[in-house]
Amino acid sequence: HAESSFTGDVGQANQRNHNIDLLFRPSESWAFGAGHHYDILGIEQLEPQSNGHVHTVFFPLHRISKSGNNGFRFSLAPALAASSNVVKDPGAYSADAFQLLGALVWTRNLSNRTTLRFGVCGDHRFGGFELYPSISVEWQPHVDWTIGLGFPTTRVVYRASKTFDSSLQVTPDGNEWHVRDKGMEKQSQLIYEASLVEWAFRWKASKRIAISASVGRQFDNRYELTLLDDRRVQLSSGSVMRSGAVLDWRF
């Protein structure tokens, strides 16, 4: 995303995200996979303990059950979330670098056009780990439109054709990482949280390949981190534009 200034004019921040996700579904009831999210949090005019290169490596497992129009999904994902120098050195791993993410969500079809989803989730999308309720009502007023109102994510999808659709979503965007300084002597937790409004366009180029592009506004950006001089600081930055691209391949 573009560069934004911290409140109080104490520095600037910018961000880049590179994600790879693999998901295998050997049956209708089970799915499993692996993911690697590499984030670069550039912080200028300040000296954080970490250089801002942080990784999240996770291994999700999903149990899906359906009975008629109803069902549930149970998901569990152990994760390693840490700075680059920690990830490269298994001897530096500690309990602070590991996360356990989970979700249990039920689905109930209220009518031919309305679906209720409710459950509980535990993850770091709000920055530090939180256990929170998840609920949404998905309404399809027309075959080309799907409106999902809920918490923590609200999304509207328009299918213009069999090969093209567009979506608008509001969702939290955050995480927490265990970081160490260059000499591996100091360690702390780096917490980031924000809210995101994003508009995406998806083109299904073939039966197996889809390409997406997005543009959004990231706001309420907040950082909690430790500086090299051991000061723990909380920083806020202004709203900022962001853009993205995604390649999906079904094989």
Side-chain angles (χ1 to χ4, degrees):
H1 65 58
E3 188 174 82
S4 61
S5 297
F6 290 125
T7 302
D9 197 26
V10 295
Q12 292 84 34
N14 58 73
Q15 189 177 139
R16 288 185 302 184
N17 315 104
H18 309 267
N19 303 335
I20 298 177
D21 298 285
L22 299 174
L23 186 67
F24 302 91
R25 191 167 183 178
S27 69
E28 291 296 318
S29 301
W30 293 96
F32 64 93
H36 176 213
H37 292 186
Y38 170 37
D39 302 309
I40 304 174
L41 306 178
I43 298 175
E44 300 177 4
Q45 298 182 22
L46 291 169
E47 291 185 318
Q49 283 185 354
S50 168
N51 62 6
H53 291 247
V54 290
H55 301 258
T56 305
V57 182
F58 54 97
F59 302 92
L61 175 66
H62 305 280
R63 170 74 169 93
I64 304 106
S65 176
K66 287 187 177 181
S67 177
N69 294 327
N70 304 320
F72 74 88
R73 173 178 60 86
F74 173 69
S75 302
L76 199 64
L80 172 68
S83 56
S84 295
N85 53 357
V86 174
V87 171
K88 292 185 294 185
D89 184 2
Y93 292 2
S94 68
D96 292 330
F98 290 98
Q99 301 175 352
L100 184 61
L101 319 176
L104 178 59
V105 179
W106 286 268
T107 300
R108 296 289 183 269
N109 281 8
L110 304 180
S111 69
N112 291 335
R113 295 186 175 184
T114 307
T115 300
L116 172 66
R117 289 186 175 87
F118 60 95
V120 61
C121 300
D123 54 42
H124 294 259
R125 70 176 65 191
F126 294 100
F129 179 83
E130 288 192 22
L131 197 64
Y132 57 90
S134 174
I135 185 168
S136 69
V137 176
E138 189 175 277
W139 176 45
Q140 195 171 21
H142 185 272
V143 67
D144 296 330
W145 286 90
T146 302
I147 301 172
L149 302 177
F151 176 86
T153 299
T154 289
R155 180 183 291 112
V156 178
V157 179
Y158 170 62
R159 297 169 186 83
S161 68
K162 292 182 178 180
T163 60
F164 181 82
D165 62 65
S166 178
S167 64
L168 178 67
Q169 71 167 352
V170 181
T171 188
D173 181 40
N175 205 350
E176 178 178 1
W177 303 270
H178 181 66
V179 302
R180 295 200 180 197
D181 67 341
K182 188 176 182 180
M184 302 291 282
E185 297 177 354
K186 298 180 179 182
Q187 57 184 314
S188 61
Q189 297 299 110
L190 170 59
I191 300 174
Y192 170 74
E193 58 179 309
S195 297
L196 172 66
V197 177
E198 188 173 53
W199 191 11
F201 305 86
R202 182 174 180 268
W203 173 49
K204 191 174 181 181
S206 68
K207 290 183 178 180
R208 298 183 180 273
I209 294 177
I211 300 171
S212 303
S214 63
V215 61
R217 187 78 173 174
Q218 203 164 288
F219 56 97
D220 289 340
N221 300 285
R222 292 179 292 274
Y223 299 78
E224 183 178 337
L225 53 93
T226 302
L227 304 180
L228 277 178
D229 61 8
D230 295 328
R231 284 186 298 151
R232 187 72 175 172
V233 297
Q234 295 183 349
L235 303 168
S236 299
S237 64
S239 300
V240 65
M241 297 299 296
R242 60 179 270 176
S243 59
V246 177
L247 173 65
D248 289 317
W249 176 34
R250 297 178 65 90
F251 55 92

